[in-house]
């Protein structure tokens, strides 16, 4: 489900999984895809739901925006569809790592140990999640982000590329952290953080 960059990443992941590509029925979209679908079927959500069998078909929610991803996942779950978990073969998954339904873990990501990912979390290229992290459902962990030990991230957060979070930091639901930001303080209210050290957008740094 999707027609943008996240859907393209999922299609690339499925190719790297090899024999899984023959299981792909196509793309369910709300607008024309931004990439070559390589002959796969393209249909609207209305047409798909009219013909699909939840007992036989799974849906990957390949949408980058966390809020939209949650809404779409809720619609499909209510209709009885299951969401597979997809992990790239080059990702390193350590012991005692729990990965929720619908999660997508892209190439070269590292999930070290004692980690819990909620449902539909997107862990992007070469992201590093250290020990004893908890990542809320529908959150994005950006490419080459690094989360140190004991980090807790809420639901629907969007961590940009190259974000660094120091140990034992807690972030509220719906946080947005800009690319390259270095988070050194807990945040219990949703806001957009930028810079090093990361501060709320528009707030003067100390």
């Amino acid at each position: 489900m999707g027609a943008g960059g996240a859907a393209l990443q999922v299609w690339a992941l499925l190719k790297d999984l090899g024999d899984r590509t023959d299981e792909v029925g196509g793309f369910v979209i709300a607008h024309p895809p931004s990439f070559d679908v390589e002959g796969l079927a393209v249909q609207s959500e209305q047409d798909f739901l009219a013909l699909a069998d939840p007992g036989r078909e799974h849906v990957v929610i390949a949408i980058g925006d966390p809020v939209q991803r949650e809404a779409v996942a809720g619609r499909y779950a209510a209709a009885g569809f299951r969401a597979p978990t997809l992990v790239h073969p080059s990702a390193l998954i350590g012991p005692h790592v729990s990965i929720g339904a619908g999660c997508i873990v892209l190439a070269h990501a590292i999930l070290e140990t004692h980690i819990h990912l909620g449902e539909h979390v997107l862990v992007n290229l070469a992201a590093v999640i250290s020990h004893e992290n908890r990542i809320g459902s529908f959150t994005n962990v950006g490419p080459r982000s690094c989360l140190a030990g004991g980090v807790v991230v809420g639901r629907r957060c969007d961590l940009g590329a190259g974000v660094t979070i120091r140990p034992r930091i807690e972030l509220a639901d719906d946080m947005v952290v800009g690319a390259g930001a270095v988070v050194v303080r807990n945040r219990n209210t949703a806001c957009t953080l930028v810079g090093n050290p990361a501060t709320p957008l528009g707030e003067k740094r100390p």
Side-chain angles (χ1 to χ4, degrees):
M1 176 65 196
L8 182 59
Q9 285 183 303
V10 167
W11 179 220
L13 189 162
L14 289 168
K15 289 180 181 179
D16 288 338
L17 288 174
D19 58 1
R20 297 292 297 274
T21 56
D22 62 3
E23 301 175 13
V24 179
F27 295 91
V28 180
I29 63 171
H31 54 81
S34 62
F35 53 89
D36 181 3
V37 298
E38 301 178 44
L40 290 172
V42 175
Q43 54 190 317
S44 69
E45 183 174 81
Q46 181 179 1
D47 290 343
F48 174 76
L49 290 174
L51 299 173
D53 178 1
R56 296 180 57 252
E57 295 170 292
H58 295 174
V59 176
V60 180
I61 311 300
I63 295 173
D65 178 78
V67 174
Q68 186 181 4
R69 188 158 74 245
E70 182 178 41
V72 173
R75 289 204 302 272
Y76 280 94
F81 289 92
R82 290 179 293 169
T85 296
L86 299 178
V87 178
H88 193 278
S90 69
L92 177 60
I93 310 298
H96 304 290
V97 174
S98 170
I99 301 177
C103 287
I104 299 167
V105 181
L106 295 177
H108 303 295
I110 299 174
L111 280 65
E112 187 185 23
T113 187
H114 290 79
I115 293 165
H116 174 75
L117 303 185
E119 297 182 351
H120 295 279
V121 173
L122 172 60
V123 181
N124 223 302
L125 302 167
V128 176
I129 301 177
S130 190
H131 59 91
E132 300 165 288
N133 276 223
R134 296 186 64 83
I135 311 298
S137 296
F138 305 100
T139 282
N140 295 336
V141 180
R144 293 194 178 277
S145 290
C146 182
L147 281 59
V151 170
V152 177
V153 180
R155 296 169 61 93
R156 297 177 302 274
C157 294
D158 195 356
L159 312 181
V163 165
T164 300
I165 303 180
R166 82 171 198 180
R168 294 176 294 282
I169 290 296
E170 297 188 13
L171 297 180
D173 296 344
D174 301 301
M175 294 290 301
V176 176
V177 184
V182 179
V183 182
V184 298
R185 290 178 52 195
N186 294 339
R187 298 288 175 177
N188 57 16
T189 303
C191 63
T192 297
L193 297 175
V194 296
N196 179 10
T199 54
L201 190 65
E203 181 178 298
K204 186 176 180 180
R205 292 195 184 93

